[in-house]
């Protein structure tokens, strides 16, 4: 296997008296899609937030391209080539779609004191990226606050994909998406993976994860239950692990195994 | 946000007129207020108010307030307040006055020193806010008191016990930078206009309006620059983002701390600019300069459409907000209303101007 | 005729409301149209703009107070240059002539403070406080400075805000922490003088501590009459509002104008005179 | 078929110059689960918001139990027995779980001026309802802002179920939920339906909708594409309609038909 | 939020001490500030400050401010501001004074009239805010001016030209409600305590502290009532919800409009209460009463931990915030510092008190 781009070792994270992560290790190699799975509240979002510089780990080390790293801010992580779709999307409702899309990394033209935002380019890229995901925007200056849930999520994904240089982290990216948009996102993951980007994909949908995942790590109550490679684990086994091993049979039965 | 709209054919969009698209911009809503106030005074005020000299007369305080208001608006869009700008006017006035009068420095040195002091205090404000996570309201409030107190003590030191420092006008007389910060610009032009009769004159032949007060030019320049920055530069985008949602902005890679600290410095420098202009104009400074200006600046920004919660507003809005406020305050002195009723009118006019601006915007955009 | 009065005191300030009453009475008596203007707070920059606004209206006369000659000078000179007669009142007796005003009606703040200080020193005071409800307002600062000089003994300035409860608490605090204090000079009657009397009573030192104040209020005058306070300094500000307007009206009609400044004060109101003044004070005339 | 509890006729909703709903009709009968499906931005959330009193329809009529109704506020709708899980959940991050759970409908004890919140009962109900959904709360006074995405969604669902008297509206309730929690929610829908409550269920997951749905209405660009009854339509047909009839085959193929 | 915690065994929760659980409450953080300020003055101030009479002395203005601050805090938690409460003190004082002096009404009628007027203005404020969707900042600001102006005009009408209305003390003398709103409570108790030597006396045998000023009792009662309402009633829950997120609250069935309007009315009534107490205490009212009190009230609420953005805070916090503010303002006159430095100290102490309170809370809760 290739050398990991990013390697997280024994990460712990405490919030006041709450232990959200109790020692998690994880790595991503170029060109793979590493799925992070687990029950609600298992600590997935907290974990990828430490990976993208939002939280500082209480304990543990992060190694990027073989060198130990300290991210002081998400900006540091971004400059190291890590792009993230957060579960809460990190969008500003009052700002337009384009401005949200390029927030923090605006394209410019002109130079010196006349360096200014290249709004036309920005609008074009934004509309184009959204169309590629299956959403036709009414206009790039619509406020994000007036978009539907799925439209908003698509903006966040398109943005991360556009700026994802080495690692692309997606925290439940398809939760609010329609059928067509979901297919597009999965296809996109497939495409960027083939370009050599390492993808971290969080989802509750076993089918989605089986469709694109190369490796599967399951978190449970702040700890790793283990990592499996594609082909070594079945969808049913994965599902059992994700649910924390609880009895699903009875429920499943009554609903016809549809979950 | 004023990005160029790309028109896509979509059966789910109703047509809308150019006018209604215009009014949706926060910066333009405040114009409605200006129009209303103007109409009001056209009917009630002495006709002198809308002569050239009358306009200069109400634009001067509006400009002084407006310079502060534009700074305050940018900071508010960035999600913070600075309640210390009023005291900063007194403090920067003291620094500036002490430099030119007590130490006899030329303007080319005194002005940068004043700006540096102001920026340092602004940065200190910002650093405390960001470091501790306390609301900027309370931190800058402390500096409201501290700077006001320091100005008092400093004035007493600089003047041997008085709270008024005089003699600035003599001290800056003849300095080559003086025309940039005080007096009236385009004096020659106006003298000529007076000669050919385009501008009214006093009995002695001097033009009634000797020129455009420099603060008005600064005010307009600042409004244009701020608008350009907010709408057309990455930094402007970061300001909106930092104020809209600090976490989201920072998670998206906006350097929120840097943006906010620079905004605090900018606001303080706006206050210093007002201090320099007013001290040179008045020729003196005292410990109560700028009293309550912080609130007036915030008021002007809010009239102009800034949200107190941050992330929304415009510099042009603050520009018109300051003009509305200035017109109402000075305009009432051109009317025959009894001074006892002054505050009732001031409050009433403010309310009506804002209500009207709001009503127009809603009518036009069809939101409910 | 049109006459405009621009002062540095707000219409809701008890002191200035009396000035304004004088202005209104003069307007009624002379038949002139008179407007009273003042900035929202003690603000010299705003005040100079109000004078400019007045000049623009080209009235038949302007009445101004001059607490800061540097800041207001150019505007006043502009009025004079435009041929508008100007009379100064209240503050600025020393600079009034130089700026081209016809005459000055008023009391010099520093001299008034000094006179009060001398009087209080002669009443046996040696340790005093000067309670200033608007530090930084130059005319109030001058009162304290004059008081210091006239009083001679040790004087501390106590800064307060515009709140009677706070004034009372602060004066009480000063009295309790320094029992040597035997003199209190207030810079406003209702806002500072009356709460100071209450504070002296609360610490049980009525009669030992002399309380005096600038300006008058009915409550304070009653206290003087009852011997609970020493005196009030009346500068008869009603005259400062009344006379300049009348003068300007006469000037406009007949070209008449007195030949020199009119000193309207200081006028110490002590126990003997207090009782007569109470009624007038309650009506806003003294 | 039973008489509908609520009947919406020709609902239109415009936001300024944007037409979100262009005439949608819909009804719910007691004891059924009526699924509302459609692409992102089709207008589902806007539609159910008019049903629950958040938006006033620009045109169209609402009939409740045979009588025409005007909801002036969500509170009116609630008092008429309609409980909703909004897509944005309508939670206050700074408030505790219990306080969010009972917000607007607090249980009280005592009487007259001593009428006060019955905090113990409230806490117990809240913890119990959450446990029934598969979430063990650390404590009922944890702030909602510190819950994970799925935990937060579960609070919203548990609340609506607790207060859902006649109609229960669920806008993508399972989007952030884990496997176990999803099963619980589907089972809950099944249970309340059997109690005679009418359920409106919005989802992008065809399997979920097929598992519990009795009728299926598909929205597209603000219009209804039609309503089908259970058994008269297959999952594949539904999926095609939801995606707006676009070509999915190619994508599906490359990803192994997993969406 | 102070719900009883149900302890569930969970390996993902660290143990925490009782102390740290206590300090997590917003209402208790402000205590740290009080302690710090007390320690500071214990070292620097004259010992008279912490005698019984000294404490009553700084508690009286603190209580008057605190009554306003508690109202302001509840409104801020509900997500709105009221900048008109300072002017409302003057306005309500005028109404009350005119009732008892000019119209000679007994208190049993005058007091309800005063509250009704205040509540009506509060409701008007609220109605305009909710109707138009304008920020409450700007609407109540207009009323700041309007009420102040109306008070001036009204006073002049009621007194024939003076701005001071006197004779309230004589007018209410002997009314059975007077002891409830003015003077000192428990006079008998204190006289007895003085007799047995527990309270210091003057030379003439009268106790140095004649009783507890009634405003202090009102202050404490109001703080307790407000805390009970906020934490223990459905209405309190609605206040937090309305301020936390208006849409979410309304979507969850909270009657947001009703809550907000009632809060505006409550705040106005707090101002009226202060007006009644101070007017009866002083025996007079004038047009400058309550000047700037709106800002002091907001300051006290923020020191006490209220967020300006709404949805978070506590009445007890505002209680301690008002005490901190009162102690700092009055306390400095007990020290030997040069009084010119007053404002510098005021600002510095405020900042330090808030920083300390913030630091303690973070230390204890372990958040970063
Ligand atoms: N700021 C915080 N303060 C306290 N506890 C927190 C905080 N953030 C998260 N937690 C707790 O940490 C645990 C892990 O949360 P996290 O959001 O990482 O879960 P998750 O695996 O992403 O769940 P989901 O699938 O529901 O999104 C949760 O139980 C949550 O309550
Ligand atoms: N307040 C608003 N102002 C303007 N447009 C709006 C507003 N709310 C919604 N819209 C538009 O109306 C359309 C329908 O939105 P809605 O939220 O109802 O979609 P949805 O079917 O719920 O989509 P999703 O599955 O993504 O949640 C969207 O295109 C959205 O942009
Ligand atoms: Mg998560
Ligand atoms: Mg939706």
């Amino acid at each position: 296997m290739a050398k990991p781009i990013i390697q997280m070792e024994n990460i712990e994270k405490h919030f006041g008296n709450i232990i959200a992560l109790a020692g998690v290790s994880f790595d991503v190699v170029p060109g793979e899609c590493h799925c992070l799975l687990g029950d609600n509240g298992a600590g997935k979002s907290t974990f990828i937030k430490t990976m993208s510089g939002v939280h500082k780990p209480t304990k543990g080390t992060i190694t990027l391209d073989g060198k130990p790293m300290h991210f002081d801010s998400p900006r540091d992580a971004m400059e190291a080539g890590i792009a993230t779709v957060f579960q809460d999307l990190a969008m500003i409702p009052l700002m337009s779609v384009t401005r949200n899309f390029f927030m923090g990394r605006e394209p410019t033209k002109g130079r010196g004191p006349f360096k200014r935002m290249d709004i036309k380019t920005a609008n074009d890229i934004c509309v184009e990226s959204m169309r590629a995901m299956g959403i036709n925007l009414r206009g790039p200056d619509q406020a994000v606050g007036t978009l539907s849930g799925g439209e908003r999520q698509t903006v966040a994904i398109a943005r991360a994909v556009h700026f994802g240089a080495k690692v692309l982290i997606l925290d439940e990216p398809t939760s609010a998406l329609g059928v067509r948009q979901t297919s597009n996102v999965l296809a996109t993951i497939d495409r960027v993976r083939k370009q050599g980007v390492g993808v971290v994909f969080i989802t509750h949908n076993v089918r989605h994860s089986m469709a694109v995942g190369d490796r599967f790590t399951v978190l449970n109550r702040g700890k790793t239950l283990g990592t499996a490679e594609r082909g070594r684990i079945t969808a049913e086994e994965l599902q059992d692990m994700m649910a924390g091993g609880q009895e699903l049979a009875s429920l499943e039965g009554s609903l016809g195994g549809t979950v | 946000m004023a990005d160029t709209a790309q028109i896509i054919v979509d059966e789910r969009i109703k047509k809308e007129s150019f006018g209604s698209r215009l009014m949706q911009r926060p910066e333009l809503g405040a114009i409605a207020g200006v129009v209303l106030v103007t109409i009001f005074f056209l009917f009630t005020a002495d006709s002198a108010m809308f002569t050239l000299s009358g306009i200069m007369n109400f634009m001067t305080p509006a400009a002084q307030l407006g310079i502060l208001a534009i700074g305050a608006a940018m900071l508010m869009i960035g999600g913070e307040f600075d309640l210390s700008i009023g005291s900063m006017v007194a403090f920067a006035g003291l620094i500036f006055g002490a430099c030119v009068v007590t130490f006899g420095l030329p303007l080319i040195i005194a002005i940068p020193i004043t700006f540096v002091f102001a920026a340092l205090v602004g940065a200190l404000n910002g650093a405390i806010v960001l470091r501790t996570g306390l609301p900027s309201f309370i931190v800058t409030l402390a500096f409201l008191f501290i700077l006001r107190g320091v100005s008092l003590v400093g004035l007493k030191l600089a003047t041997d016990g008085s709270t008024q420092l005089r003699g600035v006008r003599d001290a800056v007389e003849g300095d080559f930078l003086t025309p940039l910060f005080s007096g009236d610009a385009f004096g020659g032009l106006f003298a000529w206009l007076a000669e050919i009769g385009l501008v009214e004159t006093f009995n002695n032949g001097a033009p009634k309006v000797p020129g455009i007060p420099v603060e008005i030019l600064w005010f307009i320049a600042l409004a244009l620059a701020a608008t350009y920055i907010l709408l057309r530069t990455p930094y402007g985008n970061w300001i909106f983002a930092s104020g809209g949602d600090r976490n989201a902005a920072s998670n998206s890679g906006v350097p929120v701390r840097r943006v906010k600290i620079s905004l605090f410095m900018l606001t303080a420098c706006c206050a210093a600019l007002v201090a320099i202009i007013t001290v040179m104009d008045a020729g003196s400074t005292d410990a109560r300069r700028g009293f309550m200006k912080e609130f007036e600046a915030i008021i002007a920004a809010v009239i102009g459409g800034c949200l107190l919660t941050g992330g929304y507003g415009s510099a042009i809005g603050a520009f018109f907000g300051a003009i509305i406020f200035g017109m109402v305050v000075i305009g009432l002195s051109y009317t025959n209303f009894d001074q006892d009723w002054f505050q009732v009118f001031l409050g009433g006019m403010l309310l009506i101007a804002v209500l009207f601006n709001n009503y127009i915007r809603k009518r036009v955009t069809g939101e409910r | 005729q049109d006459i405009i009065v621009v002062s540095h005191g707000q219409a809701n300030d008890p002191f200035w409301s009396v000035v304004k009453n004088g202005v209104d009475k003069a307007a009624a008596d002379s038949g002139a149209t008179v407007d009273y203007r003042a900035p929202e707070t003690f603000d010299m920059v705003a005040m100079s703009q109000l004078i400019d606004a007045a000049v623009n209206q080209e009235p038949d006369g302007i009445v101004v107070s001059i607490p800061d000659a540097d800041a207001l000078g150019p505007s006043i000179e502009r009025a004079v240059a435009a041929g508008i007669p100007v009379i100064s009142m209240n503050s600025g007796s020393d600079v009034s002539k130089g700026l081209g005003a016809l005459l000055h009606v008023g009391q010099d703040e520093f001299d008034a403070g000094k006179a009060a200080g001398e009087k209080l020193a002669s009443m046996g005071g040696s340790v005093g406080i000067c309670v200033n409800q608007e530090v930084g307002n130059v005319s109030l600062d001058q009162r304290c400075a004059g008081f210091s000089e006239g009083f001679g003994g040790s004087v501390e300035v106590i800064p307060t805000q515009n709140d009677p409860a706070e004034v009372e608490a602060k004066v009480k605090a000063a009295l309790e922490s320094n029992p040597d204090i035997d003199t209190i000079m207030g810079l406003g009657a209702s806002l500072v003088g009356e709460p100071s009397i209450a504070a002296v009573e609360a610490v049980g030192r009525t009669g030992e501590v002399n309380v005096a104040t600038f300006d008058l209020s009915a409550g304070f005058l009653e206290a003087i009459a009852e011997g609970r306070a020493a005196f009030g300094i009346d500068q008869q500000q009603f005259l400062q509002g009344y006379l300049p307007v009348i003068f300007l009206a006469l000037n406009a009609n007949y070209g008449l104008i007195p030949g020199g400044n009119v000193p309207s004060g200081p006028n110490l109101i002590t126990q003997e005179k207090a009782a007569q003044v109470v009624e007038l004070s309650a009506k806003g005339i003294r």
Side-chain angles (χ1 to χ4, degrees), chain C residues 110 113-114 117-118 143-153 155:
Chain C
F110 186 87
K114 197 168 156 197
E118 281 160 2
R143 289 177 174 182
C144 274
F147 168 68
S148 272
E149 183 163 315
F151 190 65
V155 171

Side-chain angles (χ1 to χ4, degrees), chain C residues 12-37:
Chain C
N12 64 10
D13 181 312
F15 176 88
W16 289 99
S17 71
V18 175
V19 175
K20 180 161 182 295
N21 286 340
V23 169
D24 290 346
K25 181 79 168 72
D29 288 355
S30 67
T33 312
V34 188
D35 279 329
Y36 180 94
R37 310 283 176 217

